[in-house]
Amino acid sequence: MSRAHDEAMGDEPSMPDRPRRRSFTADYKLAILDEYDRCTGDGDKGALLRQEGLYTSHIVECDAPGTAVGSPASARKSGQRRTTRSPPSSPDEKESERAEAELAKTRLVVEIQGKASELLGRLLAESDEENRQQR
């Protein structure tokens, strides 16, 4: 059984020793993102991706907020995962955040106690006035 492309391929198909991951230059990424953003018709974006042999994930990764094309984050080495979490806080930062939260609670309690004291003072003054008028 022969295929049309067998002659162009030669007698034995040659495979690279190890498959290589595709990499794109920053200029290419910018050009594709610009062209992708200009696509307005139905199916234009999909046609562009098919023409270039790309997937939507390529566009999402390049266009992710905080990931500038050509930045180290956009040129991660294979096997590295993108993290959305901030790096773990140091114990000092955690203690500081806990102390600030406690201070905010304490200030709220003092504010409420001040308002309660003011209200009780007004009620006492009104009560004293009523007692004077009844005498």
Side-chain angles (χ1 to χ4, degrees):
M1 178 171 162
S2 67
R3 294 179 221 146
H5 67 276
D6 284 345
E7 291 177 18
M9 296 293 292
D11 292 337
E12 298 216 7
S14 63
M15 295 293 292
D17 293 337
R18 184 173 179 205
R20 288 190 40 197
R21 187 180 189 120
R22 292 189 298 174
S23 62
F24 306 104
T25 65
D27 292 335
Y28 176 77
K29 290 178 185 180
L30 284 173
I32 291 298
L33 284 175
D34 287 341
E35 194 170 341
Y36 188 83
D37 289 339
R38 284 194 304 263
C39 292
T40 56
D42 290 341
D44 287 350
K45 290 181 178 183
L48 172 66
L49 294 177
R50 283 189 300 277
Q51 174 186 341
E52 295 295 325
L54 300 173
Y55 297 97
T56 55
S57 62
H58 291 121
I59 299 297
V60 171
E61 287 177 7
C62 288
D63 206 19
T67 305
V69 175
S71 72
S74 68
R76 291 189 314 273
K77 293 182 179 174
S78 67
Q80 291 180 334
R81 292 184 175 203
R82 181 185 321 173
T83 59
T84 56
R85 291 180 278 155
S86 61
S89 302
S90 70
D92 292 339
E93 289 175 352
K94 288 180 182 178
E95 180 64 25
S96 175
E97 288 174 5
R98 189 199 61 73
E100 286 178 18
E102 191 67 31
L103 179 60
K105 288 180 194 175
T106 304
R107 286 182 175 160
L108 184 59
V109 168
V110 169
E111 182 181 341
I112 291 171
Q113 286 177 337
K115 289 180 179 181
S117 176
E118 181 183 339
L119 178 61
L120 289 173
R122 286 182 183 179
L123 291 174
L124 183 61
E126 289 175 7
S127 174
D128 285 345
E129 259 183 54
E130 287 177 11
N131 285 339
R132 284 185 202 153
Q133 290 175 357
Q134 288 179 355
R135 290 185 197 172

